Amino acid sequence: MANRPSTSTSPRDGDDAAHAEEDRQRIRELFTELEAAFAQADAARFDAPFAADVVFTAVDGARFAGWEALHAYHRDRLSTPTDAITTWYELEHIAFPAPDVAVVALRQPIEVAGSRRANVGTWTLIKRDGSWWVSAAQNTGVATP
């Protein structure tokens, strides 16, 4: 089909490429903040950018609907020391299918006691009042060489 649309170059209601790059930068900063919050085992800080009605699917397939359920999960997971775990996000692709919607494809390497694994994910973010919020996230564990 020659007329297949592209989500990576979606019209942004008159916004130019600089505006799209500003949004990409703010989204990268959101994930940098998630990394820092995880490193400090701070569930409240980690969950700060999640929307009230977030739907989050963890790597084990557990699904959490709503901020309170997700926060209870993260509070439990981060209540044990995380200093032996190093993780970060590698944003592979950010698309804007609508002006205030971003779809982020990412990889999340995780190092624990010298071994390494990774998750891949697809996260949907929404922009409200100038801020980006996580609306939905799906994470899948992958084998690493």
Side-chain angles (χ1 to χ4, degrees):
M1 175 176 168
N3 295 339
R4 189 173 312 278
S6 172
T7 59
S8 64
T9 58
S10 165
R12 297 182 47 83
D13 293 337
D15 291 346
D16 58 10
H19 186 80
E21 184 52 38
E22 178 183 319
D23 282 332
R24 282 186 179 84
Q25 181 57 34
R26 292 172 102 188
I27 290 168
R28 286 189 288 269
E29 290 167 0
L30 182 149
F31 282 92
T32 298
E33 176 63 15
L34 290 174
E35 291 172 6
F38 182 89
Q40 294 178 353
D42 187 337
R45 182 176 169 195
F46 188 87
D47 291 334
F50 290 87
D53 57 350
V54 65
V55 176
F56 185 94
T57 305
V59 69
D60 65 358
R63 181 164 289 152
F64 304 93
W67 188 91
E68 293 294 338
L70 179 61
H71 185 58
Y73 167 74
H74 282 144
R75 200 172 48 240
D76 180 58
R77 298 279 299 193
L78 295 177
S79 66
T80 58
T82 58
D83 55 344
I85 301 170
T86 303
T87 188
W88 61 95
Y89 295 98
E90 298 170 353
L91 305 188
E92 298 175 327
H93 183 72
I94 302 172
F96 298 97
D100 293 336
V101 177
V103 177
V104 180
L106 59 85
R107 183 173 187 81
Q108 180 188 14
I110 302 163
E111 294 179 351
V112 181
S115 68
R116 192 173 199 185
R117 62 183 175 88
N119 299 329
V120 294
T122 303
W123 293 37
T124 303
L125 283 66
I126 58 166
K127 189 176 185 181
R128 296 290 186 267
D129 298 323
S131 296
W132 285 99
W133 297 87
V134 180
S135 175
Q138 169 77 42
N139 296 305
T140 303
V142 295
T144 56

